[in-house]
Amino acid sequence: MSTSPRGGGRRPAPVPRVRLVDVAREAGLSKTTVSAALNGTGRLSDAVRLHAQETARRLGYRPNATARLLRAGHARLIGYAVREYVDTPWSYMESPYFAQLTSATAQAALAHGYALVLLPTHSARDEWADLPLDAAVVADPLAGDPLVEDFLAAHIPIVSDRRLAGRAGGHWVDIDHEAAVRGVLDHLAAGGARRIGVVAAHSTSLFYEQGLTTYHAWCGERGFAPLVGLTPRPGNQPTRAVIDHMLAAPDRPDALFVLTEASPPLILETVRSHGLRTPDDLLIVCVSDDPTAAQTDPPITTLSLRPTEIATVGVELLIKALESGDPTSTGRLVPTRLEIRGTSRRDG
């Protein structure tokens, strides 16, 4: 986009901002009187108040909203950061889950009169420090995440995962990881799977840590050998590479539980490249909120983490904390949803 006018001339000088003192001078009133008239305060006659307001409107005066809000003690801004793969620059908006989570968080914040400020994922910790944030949302933090600790130390209310339970100023919204993972594994075992491979991320986020802990415990209870493949970074290709490796092994799995987010059609394509049929040769369940999962042939069974509900609950917890001023930790579990489709059903 060009920033210079057509013809290559110099950019016109910006129009000076009309100040409160300019309105006062034009109206023949003091700054204090004009300020009171525009803010609806003070003991002024209707005529004086109307004169000041009409003068301000005619001159094009606009109050500095940020300064006004800061004087009131808040800026109505909520910071938002996604911390999964924090050491790797990536666009989390390419993820259906995080795209829905971000959009729903912004909508919920706006519904309460707050704006959402997207904070850099791969950046220095102090980049948010100069922003007048009232609260923060940190999605999928790492263990001991320094950004979370900084917000808590600054007494900025924050909502994140269950690791914040019981911490003053910390609020949480999460899923029941153990119940969700066991539900998927039991479903696959009921379909005849005895060697279930899990694709997860090399990450210390609570979702992956508790997911893998539950998986190993479940395998131990049944005498099954665990089979785990870890992706080093986000995206379709790392997930496909791990699945390729697992399916090429002599003792390949008879079911896949893919915790990392990847394109459902590409996952099916990877399986078929090994000459395997789904669900006859391989059962598949993906953690995904990608709508294309229901459109593949066969449709892919998915575990939805319900990002819209998580976002709505998280913002509600923050708003209640902001309005009450109570730093007591609050939290809530959001149930997951297992959408059973063709890739995990051998009975049709």
Side-chain angles (χ1 to χ4, degrees):
M1 178 183 295
S2 174
T3 57
S4 61
R6 296 181 185 273
R10 289 189 299 176
R11 184 182 303 172
V15 178
R17 184 182 181 92
V18 178
R19 302 167 299 166
L20 188 67
V21 67
D22 300 321
V23 177
R25 185 181 299 113
E26 179 70 15
L29 301 170
S30 69
K31 281 180 58 179
T32 302
T33 299
V34 171
S35 177
L38 299 182
N39 291 325
T41 59
R43 296 182 178 180
L44 306 177
S45 69
D46 292 342
V48 169
R49 192 179 302 277
L50 181 61
H51 175 57
Q53 292 172 347
E54 289 182 344
T55 302
R57 189 178 304 112
R58 176 166 51 82
L59 294 180
Y61 171 75
R62 291 181 296 109
N64 188 320
T66 300
R68 184 174 59 194
L69 290 170
L70 287 175
R71 285 195 297 272
H74 55 82
R76 304 196 76 83
L77 298 178
I78 296 177
Y80 177 86
V82 172
R83 301 291 282 174
E84 186 175 84
Y85 296 105
V86 68
D87 293 327
T88 304
W90 67 294
S91 175
Y92 59 81
M93 293 299 285
E94 295 175 0
S95 152
Y97 172 80
F98 284 121
Q100 292 177 43
L101 184 73
T102 305
S103 175
T105 302
Q107 291 181 44
L110 289 172
H112 289 280
Y114 287 79
L116 196 69
V117 180
L118 302 186
L119 305 178
T121 297
H122 184 68
S123 63
R125 289 167 55 184
D126 59 356
E127 287 196 4
W128 64 271
D130 293 331
L131 297 174
L133 301 178
D134 294 312
V137 176
V138 178
D140 276 14
L142 304 180
D145 197 302
L147 188 61
V148 171
E149 298 302 321
D150 287 348
F151 280 126
L152 291 174
H155 301 289
I156 293 176
I158 177 177
V159 66
S160 191
D161 62 23
R162 214 177 333 180
R163 285 176 172 146
L164 287 185
R167 302 191 64 180
H171 308 274
W172 60 270
V173 56
D174 215 328
I175 64 170
D176 187 334
H177 301 85
E178 182 175 4
V181 170
R182 284 184 175 273
V184 171
L185 296 173
D186 288 344
H187 169 65
L188 291 172
R194 294 297 178 266
R195 183 160 172 74
I196 303 173
V198 167
V199 180
H202 187 72
S203 169
T204 60
S205 75
L206 196 59
F207 173 70
Y208 292 116
E209 279 196 345
Q210 293 207 352
L212 289 175
T213 297
T214 300
Y215 168 70
H216 283 287
W218 184 90
C219 288
E221 293 163 7
R222 286 157 181 77
F224 293 169
L227 176 61
V228 176
L230 298 178
T231 61
R233 61 186 187 280
N236 290 318
Q237 294 309 315
T239 298
R240 292 186 72 179
V242 169
I243 294 175
D244 264 328
H245 179 75
M246 297 173 81
L247 297 182
D251 55 347
R252 67 167 180 81
D254 57 9
L256 279 179
F257 183 16
V258 184
L259 274 65
T260 57
E261 193 169 35
S263 166
L266 288 180
I267 290 176
L268 271 186
E269 180 183 305
T270 305
V271 171
R272 287 170 179 153
S273 70
H274 289 266
L276 301 175
R277 297 169 301 166
T278 301
D280 299 333
D281 302 319
L282 184 75
L283 299 177
I284 301 176
V285 176
C286 296
V287 174
S288 178
D289 286 278
D290 189 333
T292 64
Q295 309 302 320
T296 57
D297 183 22
I300 295 182
T301 296
T302 58
L303 176 67
S304 170
L305 304 184
R306 303 180 69 196
T308 298
E309 288 77 6
I310 287 177
T312 301
V313 170
V315 172
E316 288 176 353
L317 293 176
L318 274 186
I319 298 303
K320 287 181 180 179
L322 287 171
E323 291 179 349
S324 67
D326 186 353
T328 303
S329 178
T330 59
R332 198 181 309 170
L333 287 176
V334 171
T336 56
R337 183 173 58 245
L338 181 60
E339 298 282 2
I340 299 175
R341 303 188 180 102
T343 59
S344 66
R345 298 183 62 143
R346 291 193 174 117
D347 59 0

PDB file of all heavy atoms in Angstrom, residues 13-31:
ATOM      1  N   ALA A  13       0.435  17.817   5.431  1.00  0.00           N
ATOM      2  CA  ALA A  13       0.654  17.906   6.870  1.00  0.00           C
ATOM      3  C   ALA A  13      -0.587  17.444   7.604  1.00  0.00           C
ATOM      4  O   ALA A  13      -1.718  17.710   7.170  1.00  0.00           O
ATOM      5  CB  ALA A  13       0.984  19.348   7.257  1.00  0.00           C
ATOM      6  N   PRO A  14      -0.427  16.707   8.702  1.00  0.00           N
ATOM      7  CA  PRO A  14      -1.581  16.245   9.456  1.00  0.00           C
ATOM      8  C   PRO A  14      -2.370  17.401  10.064  1.00  0.00           C
ATOM      9  O   PRO A  14      -1.803  18.435  10.425  1.00  0.00           O
ATOM     10  CB  PRO A  14      -0.955  15.370  10.555  1.00  0.00           C
ATOM     11  CG  PRO A  14       0.437  15.879  10.703  1.00  0.00           C
ATOM     12  CD  PRO A  14       0.857  16.319   9.328  1.00  0.00           C
ATOM     13  N   VAL A  15      -3.668  17.247  10.135  1.00  0.00           N
ATOM     14  CA  VAL A  15      -4.510  18.271  10.737  1.00  0.00           C
ATOM     15  C   VAL A  15      -4.291  18.266  12.244  1.00  0.00           C
ATOM     16  O   VAL A  15      -4.373  17.211  12.874  1.00  0.00           O
ATOM     17  CB  VAL A  15      -6.002  17.987  10.421  1.00  0.00           C
ATOM     18  CG1 VAL A  15      -6.885  19.029  11.101  1.00  0.00           C
ATOM     19  CG2 VAL A  15      -6.221  17.984   8.916  1.00  0.00           C
ATOM     20  N   PRO A  16      -3.988  19.429  12.835  1.00  0.00           N
ATOM     21  CA  PRO A  16      -3.741  19.459  14.285  1.00  0.00           C
ATOM     22  C   PRO A  16      -4.971  18.998  15.063  1.00  0.00           C
ATOM     23  O   PRO A  16      -6.104  19.306  14.685  1.00  0.00           O
ATOM     24  CB  PRO A  16      -3.429  20.941  14.560  1.00  0.00           C
ATOM     25  CG  PRO A  16      -3.041  21.509  13.236  1.00  0.00           C
ATOM     26  CD  PRO A  16      -3.818  20.743  12.217  1.00  0.00           C
ATOM     27  N   ARG A  17      -4.738  18.251  16.114  1.00  0.00           N
ATOM     28  CA  ARG A  17      -5.837  17.775  16.957  1.00  0.00           C
ATOM     29  C   ARG A  17      -6.394  18.929  17.770  1.00  0.00           C
ATOM     30  O   ARG A  17      -5.644  19.719  18.351  1.00  0.00           O
ATOM     31  CB  ARG A  17      -5.344  16.673  17.890  1.00  0.00           C
ATOM     32  CG  ARG A  17      -6.451  16.047  18.735  1.00  0.00           C
ATOM     33  CD  ARG A  17      -5.878  15.008  19.674  1.00  0.00           C
ATOM     34  NE  ARG A  17      -6.935  14.394  20.460  1.00  0.00           N
ATOM     35  CZ  ARG A  17      -7.580  13.295  20.108  1.00  0.00           C
ATOM     36  NH1 ARG A  17      -7.238  12.677  18.979  1.00  0.00           N
ATOM     37  NH2 ARG A  17      -8.537  12.795  20.853  1.00  0.00           N
ATOM     38  N   VAL A  18      -7.713  19.032  17.783  1.00  0.00           N
ATOM     39  CA  VAL A  18      -8.363  20.072  18.572  1.00  0.00           C
ATOM     40  C   VAL A  18      -8.263  19.713  20.044  1.00  0.00           C
ATOM     41  O   VAL A  18      -8.624  18.603  20.452  1.00  0.00           O
ATOM     42  CB  VAL A  18      -9.844  20.220  18.156  1.00  0.00           C
ATOM     43  CG1 VAL A  18     -10.531  21.278  19.020  1.00  0.00           C
ATOM     44  CG2 VAL A  18      -9.953  20.588  16.686  1.00  0.00           C
ATOM     45  N   ARG A  19      -7.767  20.650  20.838  1.00  0.00           N
ATOM     46  CA  ARG A  19      -7.567  20.402  22.257  1.00  0.00           C
ATOM     47  C   ARG A  19      -8.700  21.010  23.083  1.00  0.00           C
ATOM     48  O   ARG A  19      -9.475  21.843  22.592  1.00  0.00           O
ATOM     49  CB  ARG A  19      -6.232  20.976  22.716  1.00  0.00           C
ATOM     50  CG  ARG A  19      -5.007  20.437  21.963  1.00  0.00           C
ATOM     51  CD  ARG A  19      -3.788  21.283  22.260  1.00  0.00           C
ATOM     52  NE  ARG A  19      -3.996  22.661  21.833  1.00  0.00           N
ATOM     53  CZ  ARG A  19      -3.216  23.697  22.190  1.00  0.00           C
ATOM     54  NH1 ARG A  19      -2.193  23.477  23.010  1.00  0.00           N
ATOM     55  NH2 ARG A  19      -3.476  24.911  21.751  1.00  0.00           N
ATOM     56  N   LEU A  20      -8.769  20.596  24.329  1.00  0.00           N
ATOM     57  CA  LEU A  20      -9.790  21.132  25.225  1.00  0.00           C
ATOM     58  C   LEU A  20      -9.632  22.639  25.381  1.00  0.00           C
ATOM     59  O   LEU A  20     -10.629  23.378  25.423  1.00  0.00           O
ATOM     60  CB  LEU A  20      -9.701  20.441  26.586  1.00  0.00           C
ATOM     61  CG  LEU A  20     -10.826  20.761  27.584  1.00  0.00           C
ATOM     62  CD1 LEU A  20     -12.148  20.205  27.070  1.00  0.00           C
ATOM     63  CD2 LEU A  20     -10.510  20.183  28.959  1.00  0.00           C
ATOM     64  N   VAL A  21      -8.383  23.112  25.418  1.00  0.00           N
ATOM     65  CA  VAL A  21      -8.144  24.540  25.581  1.00  0.00           C
ATOM     66  C   VAL A  21      -8.632  25.315  24.359  1.00  0.00           C
ATOM     67  O   VAL A  21      -9.077  26.466  24.473  1.00  0.00           O
ATOM     68  CB  VAL A  21      -6.643  24.806  25.845  1.00  0.00           C
ATOM     69  CG1 VAL A  21      -5.802  24.460  24.605  1.00  0.00           C
ATOM     70  CG2 VAL A  21      -6.405  26.248  26.264  1.00  0.00           C
ATOM     71  N   ASP A  22      -8.587  24.695  23.180  1.00  0.00           N
ATOM     72  CA  ASP A  22      -9.096  25.352  21.968  1.00  0.00           C
ATOM     73  C   ASP A  22     -10.611  25.528  22.053  1.00  0.00           C
ATOM     74  O   ASP A  22     -11.158  26.564  21.645  1.00  0.00           O
ATOM     75  CB  ASP A  22      -8.740  24.533  20.730  1.00  0.00           C
ATOM     76  CG  ASP A  22      -7.236  24.363  20.559  1.00  0.00           C
ATOM     77  OD1 ASP A  22      -6.505  25.343  20.829  1.00  0.00           O
ATOM     78  OD2 ASP A  22      -6.799  23.268  20.158  1.00  0.00           O
ATOM     79  N   VAL A  23     -11.290  24.514  22.555  1.00  0.00           N
ATOM     80  CA  VAL A  23     -12.742  24.613  22.713  1.00  0.00           C
ATOM     81  C   VAL A  23     -13.085  25.695  23.732  1.00  0.00           C
ATOM     82  O   VAL A  23     -14.002  26.502  23.523  1.00  0.00           O
ATOM     83  CB  VAL A  23     -13.327  23.254  23.165  1.00  0.00           C
ATOM     84  CG1 VAL A  23     -14.833  23.359  23.403  1.00  0.00           C
ATOM     85  CG2 VAL A  23     -13.037  22.176  22.125  1.00  0.00           C
ATOM     86  N   ALA A  24     -12.345  25.722  24.848  1.00  0.00           N
ATOM     87  CA  ALA A  24     -12.599  26.724  25.881  1.00  0.00           C
ATOM     88  C   ALA A  24     -12.402  28.135  25.346  1.00  0.00           C
ATOM     89  O   ALA A  24     -13.212  29.042  25.608  1.00  0.00           O
ATOM     90  CB  ALA A  24     -11.671  26.462  27.077  1.00  0.00           C
ATOM     91  N   ARG A  25     -11.347  28.308  24.568  1.00  0.00           N
ATOM     92  CA  ARG A  25     -11.066  29.639  24.009  1.00  0.00           C
ATOM     93  C   ARG A  25     -12.178  30.061  23.050  1.00  0.00           C
ATOM     94  O   ARG A  25     -12.657  31.203  23.087  1.00  0.00           O
ATOM     95  CB  ARG A  25      -9.724  29.619  23.289  1.00  0.00           C
ATOM     96  CG  ARG A  25      -9.293  30.989  22.785  1.00  0.00           C
ATOM     97  CD  ARG A  25      -7.962  30.929  22.062  1.00  0.00           C
ATOM     98  NE  ARG A  25      -6.894  30.452  22.937  1.00  0.00           N
ATOM     99  CZ  ARG A  25      -6.260  29.304  22.781  1.00  0.00           C
ATOM    100  NH1 ARG A  25      -6.592  28.492  21.783  1.00  0.00           N
ATOM    101  NH2 ARG A  25      -5.310  28.929  23.615  1.00  0.00           N
ATOM    102  N   GLU A  26     -12.612  29.140  22.188  1.00  0.00           N
ATOM    103  CA  GLU A  26     -13.653  29.454  21.210  1.00  0.00           C
ATOM    104  C   GLU A  26     -14.992  29.729  21.890  1.00  0.00           C
ATOM    105  O   GLU A  26     -15.753  30.606  21.458  1.00  0.00           O
ATOM    106  CB  GLU A  26     -13.812  28.276  20.234  1.00  0.00           C
ATOM    107  CG  GLU A  26     -14.876  28.457  19.179  1.00  0.00           C
ATOM    108  CD  GLU A  26     -14.505  29.512  18.142  1.00  0.00           C
ATOM    109  OE1 GLU A  26     -13.306  29.891  18.075  1.00  0.00           O
ATOM    110  OE2 GLU A  26     -15.402  29.943  17.404  1.00  0.00           O
ATOM    111  N   ALA A  27     -15.283  28.984  22.969  1.00  0.00           N
ATOM    112  CA  ALA A  27     -16.564  29.151  23.654  1.00  0.00           C
ATOM    113  C   ALA A  27     -16.553  30.304  24.646  1.00  0.00           C
ATOM    114  O   ALA A  27     -17.618  30.694  25.147  1.00  0.00           O
ATOM    115  CB  ALA A  27     -16.924  27.854  24.386  1.00  0.00           C
ATOM    116  N   GLY A  28     -15.373  30.836  24.951  1.00  0.00           N
ATOM    117  CA  GLY A  28     -15.277  31.907  25.929  1.00  0.00           C
ATOM    118  C   GLY A  28     -15.512  31.411  27.338  1.00  0.00           C
ATOM    119  O   GLY A  28     -16.038  32.148  28.189  1.00  0.00           O
ATOM    120  N   LEU A  29     -15.114  30.145  27.587  1.00  0.00           N
ATOM    121  CA  LEU A  29     -15.296  29.535  28.895  1.00  0.00           C
ATOM    122  C   LEU A  29     -13.957  29.016  29.407  1.00  0.00           C
ATOM    123  O   LEU A  29     -12.982  28.910  28.645  1.00  0.00           O
ATOM    124  CB  LEU A  29     -16.292  28.371  28.811  1.00  0.00           C
ATOM    125  CG  LEU A  29     -17.707  28.705  28.308  1.00  0.00           C
ATOM    126  CD1 LEU A  29     -18.474  27.414  28.048  1.00  0.00           C
ATOM    127  CD2 LEU A  29     -18.438  29.574  29.319  1.00  0.00           C
ATOM    128  N   SER A  30     -13.908  28.665  30.672  1.00  0.00           N
ATOM    129  CA  SER A  30     -12.685  28.087  31.227  1.00  0.00           C
ATOM    130  C   SER A  30     -12.593  26.613  30.847  1.00  0.00           C
ATOM    131  O   SER A  30     -13.600  25.970  30.513  1.00  0.00           O
ATOM    132  CB  SER A  30     -12.681  28.217  32.758  1.00  0.00           C
ATOM    133  OG  SER A  30     -13.669  27.363  33.329  1.00  0.00           O
ATOM    134  N   LYS A  31     -11.359  26.068  30.909  1.00  0.00           N
ATOM    135  CA  LYS A  31     -11.177  24.646  30.623  1.00  0.00           C
ATOM    136  C   LYS A  31     -11.984  23.789  31.592  1.00  0.00           C
ATOM    137  O   LYS A  31     -12.568  22.775  31.201  1.00  0.00           O
ATOM    138  CB  LYS A  31      -9.694  24.264  30.727  1.00  0.00           C
ATOM    139  CG  LYS A  31      -8.851  24.633  29.522  1.00  0.00           C
ATOM    140  CD  LYS A  31      -7.400  24.205  29.723  1.00  0.00           C
ATOM    141  CE  LYS A  31      -7.285  22.707  29.978  1.00  0.00           C
ATOM    142  NZ  LYS A  31      -5.871  22.281  30.143  1.00  0.00           N
TER     143      LYS A  31
END
